């Protein structure tokens, strides 16, 4: 390990320890200030007290991941600005998510005292089958996505510090697992806010040093025109100059669905709508989020497209190594450490959100709802009516179980991540597609169509996930259309057709609570 690697490692260690400390302290302060809300609301929904900036940052930090700072910009080095077509659609995702489902989720979750997506699904469809099926799918795809993030964090530490992969995995995993397990949702959103700021700063640092090392934009454009013809071409395949490799129209449209419209079906972003303080905070978050995600996505992919002249002529082992290589070879040690806190922040912020929601799903949606024997004590804990010794015993049990389960899930994911897969962007997108196939129509259809019912929801989930996995495993892509588009189309047809065929008058409780 050379001196530069030691400096970078020290900076990253300080940053990670800072996240642990601030996360746990913020969680304790929030729990004390909102003691009347009860453990479940505080641990899994942060007491519903997020302001505009915090809401925007946690939404963005949850969405951005290893692929946002490593995989995507790395692909842009070889694909050029064509990769920007994939990235640019993401700019409006925060605005879209909060605008379409955020406010309705906030209102409904307060009516039914919901702290998880499955709470909403249970109130909307009144079906244990819907709740259990969606909960199990959530846990499976969350674990898949977390594996990609753990691999990303460990690989990043290995690449830039010289630590063995196992040591990077242990260090990264320990930090995230500790502050998430002991701090809960508040620790997640507070550290997400810090990480969002770090990611924004890191994006500007990357742009500055790439152009500085390349001799300025004009010189780099000339070099790229000579070494990678067509790198700045933004058209579709049939309009491309001869010999220029571009993405097919179906491929581009598919990614616009996967990382754009389809995000309405991601439970980890949708659940943010349950935790904001008031409507004013929501509206501020929509503006802040759009600006910040625009800087992150457009900025990092734009910088990535210009990195090719700075890479070794023999190439690198993987596109995931492009950004770490740039940092280690063109940035001063101190600045490099500060920048690397940005992709590390993106990875940590994704993991902590998935981890807390996976824990919430198992404890709140499966154990307390269907397994716990004392239903009255559970109900009293949820509503903070801890009047008897049995109630208080239940509250303590839930608190301990939630912390231990979060620790256990984190450790399981860490073990599974020990043998890393290649190219983080693809495994991350597979997990995203699986989640969208599961939740898109039960969530969006359930919010806006009162005749959607449990049969339609079950059909949509089963058809969506089965179609997605079948097309993915068999590599079927008609007209280069990604399986997520086909899965969402089939899932939507199933939702509306089956709901129509089993049409019943909406339950009065559902109408009162959800519309």
């Amino acid at each position: 390990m050379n001196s530069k690697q030691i400096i970078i490692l020290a900076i990253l260690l300080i940053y990670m320890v800072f996240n642990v400390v601030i996360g746990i302290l913020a969680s304790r302060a929030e729990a004390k200030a909102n003691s009347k809300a009860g453990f479940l609301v505080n641990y899994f929904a942060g007491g519903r007290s997020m302001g505009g900036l915090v809401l925007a940052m946690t939404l963005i930090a949850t969405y951005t991941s290893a692929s946002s700072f490593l995989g995507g910009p790395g692909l842009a080095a070889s694909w050029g600005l064509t990769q920007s077509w994939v990235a640019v659609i993401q700019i409006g995702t925060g605005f879209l998510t909060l605008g379409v489902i955020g406010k309705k989720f906030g209102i409904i979750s307060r009516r039914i005292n919901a702290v998880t997506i499955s709470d909403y699904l249970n109130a909307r469809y009144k079906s244990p089958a819907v709740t259990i099926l969606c909960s199990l799918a959530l846990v499976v795809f969350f674990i898949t996505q977390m594996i990609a993030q753990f691999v990303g964090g460990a690989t990043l530490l290995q690449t830039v510090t010289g630590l063995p992969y196992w040591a990077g995995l242990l260090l990264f995993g320990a930090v995230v697992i500790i502050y998430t397990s002991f701090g809960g949702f508040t620790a997640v959103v507070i550290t997400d806010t810090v990480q969002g700021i770090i990611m924004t700063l890191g994006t500007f640092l990357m742009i500055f040093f790439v152009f500085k090392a390349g001799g300025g934009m004009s010189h780099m454009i000339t070099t790229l025109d000579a070494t990678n013809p067509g790198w700045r071409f933004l058209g579709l395949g049939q309009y491309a100059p001869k010999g220029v490799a571009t993405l097919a129209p179906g491929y581009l449209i598919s990614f616009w669905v996967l990382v754009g419209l389809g995000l309405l079906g991601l439970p980890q972003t949708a659940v943010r709508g349950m935790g904001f303080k008031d409507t004013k905070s929501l509206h501020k978050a929509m503006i802040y989020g759009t600006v910040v995600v625009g800087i992150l996505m457009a900025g990092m992919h734009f910088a990535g497209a210009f990195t090719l002249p700075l890479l070794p002529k023999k190439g690198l082992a993987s596109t995931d190594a492009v950004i770490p290589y740039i940092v280690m070879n063109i940035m001063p040690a101190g600045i490099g450490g500060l920048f690397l806190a940005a992709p590390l922040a993106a990875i940590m912020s994704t993991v902590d959100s998935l981890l807390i929601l996976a824990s919430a799903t198992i404890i709140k949606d499966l154990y307390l709802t269907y397994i716990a024997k004392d239903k009255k004590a559970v109900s009293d804990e949820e509503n903070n009516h801890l009047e008897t010794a049995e109630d208080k015993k239940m509250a303590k049990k839930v608190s301990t179980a939630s912390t231990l389960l979060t620790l256990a899930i984190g450790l399981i994911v860490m073990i599974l991540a020990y043998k890393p897969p290649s190219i983080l962007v693809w495994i991350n997108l597979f997990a995203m597609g699986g989640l969208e196939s599961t939740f898109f129509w039960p969530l969006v259809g359930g919010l806006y169509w009162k005749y959607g019912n449990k049969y339609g929801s079950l059909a949509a989930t089963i058809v969506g996930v089965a179609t997605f996995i079948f097309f993915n495993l068999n590599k079927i892509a008609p007209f280069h259309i990604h399986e997520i588009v086909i899965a969402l189309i089939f899932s939507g047809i199933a939702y509306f057709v089956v709901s129509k065929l089993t049409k019943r008058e909406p339950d009065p409780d559902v109408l009162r609570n959800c519309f």
Side-chain angles (χ1 to χ4, degrees), residues 74-101:
L75 287 174
S78 56
W79 288 3
L81 292 181
T82 298
Q83 176 66 12
S84 299
W85 279 97
V86 176
V88 73
I89 195 65
Q90 302 170 69
I91 293 175
T93 51
F95 194 95
L96 181 68
T97 300
L98 294 177
V100 173
I101 64 178

mmCIF file of all heavy atoms in Angstrom, residues 74-101:
data_model
loop_
_atom_site.group_PDB
_atom_site.id
_atom_site.type_symbol
_atom_site.label_atom_id
_atom_site.label_comp_id
_atom_site.label_asym_id
_atom_site.label_seq_id
_atom_site.Cartn_x
_atom_site.Cartn_y
_atom_site.Cartn_z
ATOM 1 N N GLY A 74 -18.569 4.326 -16.396
ATOM 2 C CA GLY A 74 -17.572 3.448 -17.010
ATOM 3 C C GLY A 74 -17.998 3.015 -18.405
ATOM 4 O O GLY A 74 -17.184 2.989 -19.334
ATOM 5 N N LEU A 75 -19.279 2.704 -18.566
ATOM 6 C CA LEU A 75 -19.789 2.364 -19.891
ATOM 7 C C LEU A 75 -19.703 3.557 -20.843
ATOM 8 O O LEU A 75 -19.459 3.398 -22.041
ATOM 9 C CB LEU A 75 -21.248 1.895 -19.794
ATOM 10 C CG LEU A 75 -21.490 0.501 -19.200
ATOM 11 C CD1 LEU A 75 -22.980 0.247 -19.033
ATOM 12 C CD2 LEU A 75 -20.867 -0.583 -20.064
ATOM 13 N N ALA A 76 -19.919 4.757 -20.297
ATOM 14 C CA ALA A 76 -19.863 5.960 -21.127
ATOM 15 C C ALA A 76 -18.480 6.166 -21.731
ATOM 16 O O ALA A 76 -18.337 6.798 -22.782
ATOM 17 C CB ALA A 76 -20.261 7.191 -20.310
ATOM 18 N N ALA A 77 -17.438 5.635 -21.094
ATOM 19 C CA ALA A 77 -16.087 5.767 -21.634
ATOM 20 C C ALA A 77 -15.972 5.098 -22.998
ATOM 21 O O ALA A 77 -15.267 5.588 -23.889
ATOM 22 C CB ALA A 77 -15.078 5.149 -20.662
ATOM 23 N N SER A 78 -16.676 3.982 -23.200
ATOM 24 C CA SER A 78 -16.615 3.295 -24.490
ATOM 25 C C SER A 78 -17.807 3.618 -25.381
ATOM 26 O O SER A 78 -17.672 3.709 -26.591
ATOM 27 C CB SER A 78 -16.528 1.781 -24.269
ATOM 28 O OG SER A 78 -17.613 1.329 -23.472
ATOM 29 N N TRP A 79 -18.978 3.811 -24.794
ATOM 30 C CA TRP A 79 -20.172 4.116 -25.583
ATOM 31 C C TRP A 79 -20.272 5.591 -25.964
ATOM 32 O O TRP A 79 -21.026 5.956 -26.860
ATOM 33 C CB TRP A 79 -21.437 3.743 -24.797
ATOM 34 C CG TRP A 79 -21.656 2.277 -24.685
ATOM 35 C CD1 TRP A 79 -20.841 1.280 -25.147
ATOM 36 C CD2 TRP A 79 -22.758 1.626 -24.059
ATOM 37 N NE1 TRP A 79 -21.357 0.035 -24.847
ATOM 38 C CE2 TRP A 79 -22.540 0.232 -24.174
ATOM 39 C CE3 TRP A 79 -23.894 2.064 -23.396
ATOM 40 C CZ2 TRP A 79 -23.425 -0.711 -23.667
ATOM 41 C CZ3 TRP A 79 -24.767 1.128 -22.889
ATOM 42 C CH2 TRP A 79 -24.538 -0.243 -23.026
ATOM 43 N N GLY A 80 -19.532 6.440 -25.272
ATOM 44 C CA GLY A 80 -19.617 7.870 -25.548
ATOM 45 C C GLY A 80 -20.912 8.477 -25.033
ATOM 46 O O GLY A 80 -21.542 7.949 -24.117
ATOM 47 N N LEU A 81 -21.342 9.553 -25.661
ATOM 48 C CA LEU A 81 -22.517 10.273 -25.182
ATOM 49 C C LEU A 81 -23.824 9.521 -25.403
ATOM 50 O O LEU A 81 -24.870 9.931 -24.889
ATOM 51 C CB LEU A 81 -22.596 11.650 -25.857
ATOM 52 C CG LEU A 81 -21.509 12.644 -25.456
ATOM 53 C CD1 LEU A 81 -21.719 13.972 -26.164
ATOM 54 C CD2 LEU A 81 -21.480 12.854 -23.952
ATOM 55 N N THR A 82 -23.771 8.427 -26.163
ATOM 56 C CA THR A 82 -24.970 7.607 -26.305
ATOM 57 C C THR A 82 -25.467 7.149 -24.939
ATOM 58 O O THR A 82 -26.664 7.055 -24.683
ATOM 59 C CB THR A 82 -24.689 6.384 -27.194
ATOM 60 O OG1 THR A 82 -24.333 6.835 -28.493
ATOM 61 C CG2 THR A 82 -25.908 5.499 -27.303
ATOM 62 N N GLN A 83 -24.513 6.873 -24.027
ATOM 63 C CA GLN A 83 -24.882 6.461 -22.674
ATOM 64 C C GLN A 83 -25.681 7.550 -21.959
ATOM 65 O O GLN A 83 -26.457 7.268 -21.046
ATOM 66 C CB GLN A 83 -23.616 6.120 -21.874
ATOM 67 C CG GLN A 83 -23.847 5.768 -20.419
ATOM 68 C CD GLN A 83 -24.617 4.475 -20.228
ATOM 69 O OE1 GLN A 83 -24.807 3.716 -21.169
ATOM 70 N NE2 GLN A 83 -25.056 4.212 -19.013
ATOM 71 N N SER A 84 -25.506 8.799 -22.397
ATOM 72 C CA SER A 84 -26.254 9.890 -21.784
ATOM 73 C C SER A 84 -27.750 9.751 -22.026
ATOM 74 O O SER A 84 -28.561 10.251 -21.237
ATOM 75 C CB SER A 84 -25.770 11.240 -22.330
ATOM 76 O OG SER A 84 -24.407 11.436 -22.042
ATOM 77 N N TRP A 85 -28.136 9.093 -23.120
ATOM 78 C CA TRP A 85 -29.558 8.857 -23.368
ATOM 79 C C TRP A 85 -30.162 7.996 -22.265
ATOM 80 O O TRP A 85 -31.329 8.130 -21.917
ATOM 81 C CB TRP A 85 -29.753 8.163 -24.718
ATOM 82 C CG TRP A 85 -29.703 9.090 -25.885
ATOM 83 C CD1 TRP A 85 -28.617 9.336 -26.674
ATOM 84 C CD2 TRP A 85 -30.760 9.892 -26.400
ATOM 85 N NE1 TRP A 85 -28.951 10.243 -27.653
ATOM 86 C CE2 TRP A 85 -30.258 10.591 -27.512
ATOM 87 C CE3 TRP A 85 -32.091 10.084 -26.036
ATOM 88 C CZ2 TRP A 85 -31.026 11.468 -28.254
ATOM 89 C CZ3 TRP A 85 -32.866 10.953 -26.782
ATOM 90 C CH2 TRP A 85 -32.337 11.641 -27.878
ATOM 91 N N VAL A 86 -29.361 7.076 -21.751
ATOM 92 C CA VAL A 86 -29.824 6.239 -20.651
ATOM 93 C C VAL A 86 -29.893 7.053 -19.364
ATOM 94 O O VAL A 86 -30.820 6.919 -18.578
ATOM 95 C CB VAL A 86 -28.879 5.030 -20.464
ATOM 96 C CG1 VAL A 86 -29.298 4.194 -19.258
ATOM 97 C CG2 VAL A 86 -28.876 4.178 -21.719
ATOM 98 N N ALA A 87 -28.902 7.919 -19.167
ATOM 99 C CA ALA A 87 -28.809 8.671 -17.910
ATOM 100 C C ALA A 87 -29.780 9.838 -17.827
ATOM 101 O O ALA A 87 -30.338 10.117 -16.766
ATOM 102 C CB ALA A 87 -27.378 9.183 -17.730
ATOM 103 N N VAL A 88 -30.011 10.532 -18.949
ATOM 104 C CA VAL A 88 -30.744 11.791 -18.891
ATOM 105 C C VAL A 88 -32.193 11.604 -18.468
ATOM 106 O O VAL A 88 -32.782 12.490 -17.846
ATOM 107 C CB VAL A 88 -30.668 12.521 -20.255
ATOM 108 C CG1 VAL A 88 -31.549 11.840 -21.300
ATOM 109 C CG2 VAL A 88 -31.052 13.987 -20.107
ATOM 110 N N ILE A 89 -32.771 10.444 -18.763
ATOM 111 C CA ILE A 89 -34.169 10.211 -18.392
ATOM 112 C C ILE A 89 -34.338 10.171 -16.880
ATOM 113 O O ILE A 89 -35.434 10.379 -16.346
ATOM 114 C CB ILE A 89 -34.679 8.901 -19.033
ATOM 115 C CG1 ILE A 89 -36.221 8.825 -18.970
ATOM 116 C CG2 ILE A 89 -34.071 7.684 -18.353
ATOM 117 C CD1 ILE A 89 -36.921 9.869 -19.767
ATOM 118 N N GLN A 90 -33.246 9.930 -16.169
ATOM 119 C CA GLN A 90 -33.318 9.809 -14.719
ATOM 120 C C GLN A 90 -33.453 11.156 -14.012
ATOM 121 O O GLN A 90 -33.746 11.194 -12.813
ATOM 122 C CB GLN A 90 -32.070 9.083 -14.205
ATOM 123 C CG GLN A 90 -31.908 7.702 -14.822
ATOM 124 C CD GLN A 90 -30.566 7.072 -14.500
ATOM 125 O OE1 GLN A 90 -30.304 6.717 -13.365
ATOM 126 N NE2 GLN A 90 -29.711 6.931 -15.506
ATOM 127 N N ILE A 91 -33.244 12.243 -14.750
ATOM 128 C CA ILE A 91 -33.269 13.558 -14.124
ATOM 129 C C ILE A 91 -34.626 13.862 -13.490
ATOM 130 O O ILE A 91 -34.701 14.444 -12.411
ATOM 131 C CB ILE A 91 -32.887 14.649 -15.150
ATOM 132 C CG1 ILE A 91 -31.420 14.479 -15.558
ATOM 133 C CG2 ILE A 91 -33.127 16.041 -14.577
ATOM 134 C CD1 ILE A 91 -30.974 15.430 -16.646
ATOM 135 N N GLY A 92 -35.697 13.451 -14.144
ATOM 136 C CA GLY A 92 -37.019 13.766 -13.614
ATOM 137 C C GLY A 92 -37.608 12.720 -12.700
ATOM 138 O O GLY A 92 -38.777 12.827 -12.304
ATOM 139 N N THR A 93 -36.817 11.711 -12.306
ATOM 140 C CA THR A 93 -37.381 10.604 -11.540
ATOM 141 C C THR A 93 -37.852 11.017 -10.150
ATOM 142 O O THR A 93 -38.889 10.535 -9.668
ATOM 143 C CB THR A 93 -36.365 9.460 -11.419
ATOM 144 O OG1 THR A 93 -35.117 9.987 -10.942
ATOM 145 C CG2 THR A 93 -36.146 8.806 -12.759
ATOM 146 N N GLY A 94 -37.097 11.883 -9.479
ATOM 147 C CA GLY A 94 -37.518 12.338 -8.152
ATOM 148 C C GLY A 94 -38.816 13.113 -8.220
ATOM 149 O O GLY A 94 -39.732 12.916 -7.407
ATOM 150 N N PHE A 95 -38.914 14.004 -9.205
ATOM 151 C CA PHE A 95 -40.130 14.792 -9.411
ATOM 152 C C PHE A 95 -41.306 13.874 -9.722
ATOM 153 O O PHE A 95 -42.410 14.038 -9.177
ATOM 154 C CB PHE A 95 -39.899 15.776 -10.561
ATOM 155 C CG PHE A 95 -40.937 16.858 -10.663
ATOM 156 C CD1 PHE A 95 -40.726 18.089 -10.070
ATOM 157 C CD2 PHE A 95 -42.123 16.642 -11.352
ATOM 158 C CE1 PHE A 95 -41.685 19.095 -10.158
ATOM 159 C CE2 PHE A 95 -43.088 17.631 -11.448
ATOM 160 C CZ PHE A 95 -42.858 18.866 -10.843
ATOM 161 N N LEU A 96 -41.059 12.894 -10.589
ATOM 162 C CA LEU A 96 -42.116 11.958 -10.992
ATOM 163 C C LEU A 96 -42.584 11.112 -9.811
ATOM 164 O O LEU A 96 -43.789 10.973 -9.566
ATOM 165 C CB LEU A 96 -41.591 11.047 -12.108
ATOM 166 C CG LEU A 96 -42.565 10.009 -12.672
ATOM 167 C CD1 LEU A 96 -43.684 10.691 -13.434
ATOM 168 C CD2 LEU A 96 -41.810 9.038 -13.578
ATOM 169 N N THR A 97 -41.638 10.573 -9.061
ATOM 170 C CA THR A 97 -41.986 9.701 -7.942
ATOM 171 C C THR A 97 -42.795 10.431 -6.883
ATOM 172 O O THR A 97 -43.854 9.970 -6.446
ATOM 173 C CB THR A 97 -40.713 9.109 -7.307
ATOM 174 O OG1 THR A 97 -40.006 8.345 -8.289
ATOM 175 C CG2 THR A 97 -41.061 8.213 -6.129
ATOM 176 N N LEU A 98 -42.309 11.595 -6.472
ATOM 177 C CA LEU A 98 -43.009 12.350 -5.427
ATOM 178 C C LEU A 98 -44.314 12.933 -5.938
ATOM 179 O O LEU A 98 -45.301 13.023 -5.201
ATOM 180 C CB LEU A 98 -42.107 13.465 -4.889
ATOM 181 C CG LEU A 98 -40.856 12.995 -4.142
ATOM 182 C CD1 LEU A 98 -40.006 14.195 -3.735
ATOM 183 C CD2 LEU A 98 -41.233 12.168 -2.913
ATOM 184 N N GLY A 99 -44.334 13.325 -7.219
ATOM 185 C CA GLY A 99 -45.545 13.929 -7.767
ATOM 186 C C GLY A 99 -46.665 12.927 -7.995
ATOM 187 O O GLY A 99 -47.834 13.223 -7.730
ATOM 188 N N VAL A 100 -46.315 11.737 -8.464
ATOM 189 C CA VAL A 100 -47.341 10.750 -8.805
ATOM 190 C C VAL A 100 -47.812 9.966 -7.586
ATOM 191 O O VAL A 100 -49.010 9.742 -7.395
ATOM 192 C CB VAL A 100 -46.825 9.779 -9.895
ATOM 193 C CG1 VAL A 100 -47.821 8.652 -10.132
ATOM 194 C CG2 VAL A 100 -46.566 10.535 -11.190
ATOM 195 N N ILE A 101 -46.868 9.528 -6.748
ATOM 196 C CA ILE A 101 -47.284 8.686 -5.628
ATOM 197 C C ILE A 101 -46.940 9.245 -4.251
ATOM 198 O O ILE A 101 -47.495 8.780 -3.248
ATOM 199 C CB ILE A 101 -46.687 7.262 -5.758
ATOM 200 C CG1 ILE A 101 -45.159 7.314 -5.668
ATOM 201 C CG2 ILE A 101 -47.133 6.607 -7.030
ATOM 202 C CD1 ILE A 101 -44.526 5.937 -5.737
#
